[in-house]
Amino acid sequence: MVKGNWERRVERAAKQKAAKRDAAAAKAKGQLVDPLDILNAIFLKDPDASVWVAGQGNKLCAAYFRNGDCPNRRCKWSHAETLAPWSPSATDATTEPPLEQVPTVAARLDGVVPKAEYNSDSVLAPVPEGVVARVLDWCSAYRAGAAAATCRALRRAVSLSVGVRAQKDAARPRLLAARRRRVLRMARSVRFAGATVDGRRALAYDAEQPDVFRAFSRPARSLPRPARK
């Protein structure tokens, strides 16, 4: 039987009330963990964890937000954000509240110009980008910046140069610390967080499902040792 919109709203409200009751009971027992502590624990495992906070604007399509795909070609809800790479739990809801992702430091520093954006009119397009990057390493920062403004091929080459990479690596710890402070200041507005640990992505926090963080923080089980022959 297909549920109507009002049934979904009633079911969602019941889940929210149950979550509040569980939170009140956990608080009474001293087991409730503050979002600030949760985010600090997540940042210890992934200093550049992906974070989504409550935003403004159009509601999100729940199917696309959870699965990265929407079967409705005429969907009127926003497809601006998705948790698909972090394997979130499924939901029966049609929409999600508006969310905004806090930009990561990696996106800011490592978001180089892709090869698809090469300038077709550039005479440097056939030259291997590594060769151009080595030449630019001998230039001053001013000349390298001026060269990057001339064409997209040079801009990508500048981003790959040793000098620019060294400047990015030097700035990364400071930017990570500033981003962490910013996220912690709005801890109450954080709705989801995803972390990459040992090369694997996982959903680390869901404001409406405490079990998500418990599963994330649970130590991985070690494989049983083979029996001796």
Side-chain angles (χ1 to χ4, degrees):
M1 180 178 178
V2 180
K3 294 183 179 180
N5 290 333
W6 70 270
E7 290 177 319
R8 293 193 184 97
R9 289 195 295 268
V10 170
E11 184 179 357
R12 187 169 186 175
K15 289 182 179 179
Q16 291 176 349
K17 290 181 179 179
K20 290 181 179 179
R21 287 197 301 268
D22 294 342
K27 185 176 182 180
K29 296 178 182 179
Q31 299 176 350
L32 182 63
V33 181
D34 190 89
L36 198 65
D37 298 328
I38 292 177
L39 291 172
N40 272 316
I42 293 174
F43 280 128
L44 287 177
K45 293 189 176 183
D46 183 0
D48 202 17
S50 299
V51 176
W52 287 263
V53 298
Q56 298 179 350
N58 298 329
K59 293 183 178 180
L60 301 178
C61 170
Y64 185 84
F65 182 68
R66 298 278 177 170
N67 307 319
D69 182 40
C70 177
N72 186 1
R73 294 183 179 180
R74 298 183 179 180
C75 181
K76 63 180 180 180
W77 308 113
S78 174
H79 291 175
E81 302 288 346
T82 181
L83 285 180
W86 285 269
S87 303
S89 59
T91 180
D92 294 331
T94 304
T95 62
E96 297 278 352
L99 296 172
E100 295 178 1
Q101 185 176 7
V102 180
T104 62
V105 174
R108 177 178 177 180
L109 295 181
D110 305 327
V112 297
V113 180
K115 293 182 179 180
E117 294 187 10
Y118 264 62
N119 188 346
S120 58
D121 297 331
S122 172
V123 296
L124 293 175
V127 181
E129 57 191 29
V131 174
V132 181
R134 288 190 179 184
V135 174
L136 291 175
D137 287 335
W138 291 90
C139 300
S140 64
Y142 172 78
R143 290 185 178 276
T150 58
C151 74
R152 293 172 180 174
L154 279 175
R155 186 171 19 169
R156 178 174 174 82
V158 168
S159 69
L160 295 172
S161 66
V162 175
V164 172
R165 288 202 305 268
Q167 293 179 6
K168 290 181 178 180
D169 293 339
R172 197 179 301 272
R174 173 178 55 82
L175 295 176
L176 286 173
R179 180 178 181 269
R180 178 173 179 171
R181 290 193 299 268
R182 178 190 173 192
V183 171
L184 294 180
R185 282 196 299 267
M186 50 184 173
R188 300 292 179 183
S189 300
V190 175
R191 293 295 175 262
F192 298 94
T196 302
V197 181
D198 297 331
R200 299 182 62 182
R201 288 180 173 180
L203 189 64
Y205 176 66
D206 184 336
E208 295 186 0
Q209 297 185 12
D211 290 339
V212 171
F213 176 69
R214 295 193 189 104
F216 172 77
S217 59
R218 189 179 301 124
R221 295 181 179 180
S222 58
L223 296 176
R225 295 182 179 179
R228 295 182 179 178
K229 295 183 180 180

